[in-house]
């Protein structure tokens, strides 16, 4: 059940992720990707308002929570795979509670990735003086399409300073070539424009 219906453009810093996803009359970049080949409009329509749970998405969500301090509780499932019924039951219970289930190894990796971001010389500065998970709604001037996006972190604009809006990404490899291929595969350039 949607807690809030967005009917006008603007920034919504306190909008819960579930409420953001429930705004199906506004087009997200994920939705736009489902309209474009190799996907199709039927897939777009079938997935409207449906949250897709995949282990790699859960790792990304948990990484965001660990770095930004905003998101669902991270629940470590003490198994090395989702093959057993007990592991799947714990995973499903976590989803039902709005939490992020991670296998033990994935939970450790998320904590290490978050620690690396926090220990970096510059990265922590990108996540200061603003708000995490800010939802934006606007009407595209060219097409009239109602659009939405969710900034990982939206810093406050400082006079006479360039505004840098960070986009936190998890990756299998930090190698520039590998990351470039992942950026192309996941449509990061489309996301940037959106």
């Amino acid at each position: 059940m949607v807690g809030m219906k967005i009917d006008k453009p603007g920034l919504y810093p306190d909008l819960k992720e579930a409420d953001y996803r429930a705004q199906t009359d506004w087009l997200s970049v994920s939705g736009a990707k489902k309209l474009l080949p190799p996907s199709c409009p039927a897939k777009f329509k079938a997935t409207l308002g449906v949250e897709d749970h995949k282990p790699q998405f859960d790792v990304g969500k948990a990484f965001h929570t660990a770095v930004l301090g905003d998101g669902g509780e991270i629940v470590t499932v003490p198994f090395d795979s989702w093959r057993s019924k007990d592991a799947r039951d714990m995973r499903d219970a976590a989803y039902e509670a709005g939490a992020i289930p991670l296998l033990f190894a994935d939970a450790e990796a998320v904590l290490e990735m978050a620690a690396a971001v926090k220990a970096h010389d510059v990265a922590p500065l990108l996540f200061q003086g603003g708000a995490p998970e800010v939802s934006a709604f606007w009407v595209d001037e060219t097409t009239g399409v109602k659009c939405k996006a969710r900034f990982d972190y939206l810093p406050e604009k400082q006079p006479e300073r360039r505004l840098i809006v960070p986009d936190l990404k998890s990756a299998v490899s930090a190698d520039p070539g590998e990351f470039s291929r992942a950026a192309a595969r996941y449509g990061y350039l489309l996301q940037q424009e959106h």
Side-chain angles (χ1 to χ4, degrees):
M1 179 71 169
V2 148
M4 178 179 202
K5 175 74 172 152
I6 304 297
D7 57 7
K8 64 180 183 176
L11 294 176
Y12 295 81
D14 298 320
L15 189 67
K16 294 182 180 183
E17 183 180 3
D19 289 333
Y20 168 81
R21 291 187 183 284
Q23 310 302 318
T24 58
D25 52 341
W26 298 81
L27 183 64
S28 68
V29 73
S30 298
K33 289 177 194 176
K34 289 179 183 155
L35 288 169
L36 299 171
S39 192
C40 65
K43 283 186 178 180
F44 167 77
K45 186 176 179 182
T47 59
L48 271 179
V50 176
E51 186 167 0
D52 196 5
H53 291 293
K54 291 183 179 174
Q56 63 268 33
F57 293 164
D58 291 337
V59 167
K61 281 184 178 184
F63 179 49
H64 277 222
T65 297
V67 171
L68 303 174
D70 187 87
E73 175 190 1
I74 300 169
V75 173
T76 301
V77 178
F79 289 91
D80 62 0
S81 78
W82 298 115
R83 288 187 301 266
S84 76
K85 182 176 180 338
D86 288 342
R88 290 190 306 272
D89 287 346
M90 290 179 76
R91 176 196 62 200
D92 295 345
Y95 285 145
E96 187 67 30
I100 307 165
L102 293 178
L103 296 169
F104 183 80
D106 290 335
E108 281 192 333
V110 163
L111 293 177
E112 289 174 8
M113 292 185 318
V117 169
K118 292 174 182 179
H120 192 271
D121 292 340
V122 176
L125 302 174
L126 297 172
F127 303 107
Q128 294 178 359
E133 305 297 351
V134 175
S135 298
F137 294 83
W138 72 97
V139 178
D140 181 75
E141 292 177 8
T142 304
T143 64
V145 172
K146 292 167 53 175
C147 299
K148 67 179 180 177
R150 194 158 163 96
F151 297 108
D152 294 340
Y153 194 86
L154 187 60
E156 294 175 11
K157 178 74 175 123
Q158 301 295 320
E160 299 181 29
R161 303 234 12 214
R162 184 173 142 215
L163 179 65
I164 297 174
V165 180
D167 188 12
L168 187 63
K169 297 291 186 206
S170 56
V172 172
S173 172
D175 175 82
E178 287 294 320
F179 188 78
S180 293
R181 284 187 283 281
R185 183 171 47 253
Y186 296 120
Y188 291 166
L189 289 177
L190 181 61
Q191 179 178 335
Q192 174 184 326
E193 292 304 313
H194 194 79

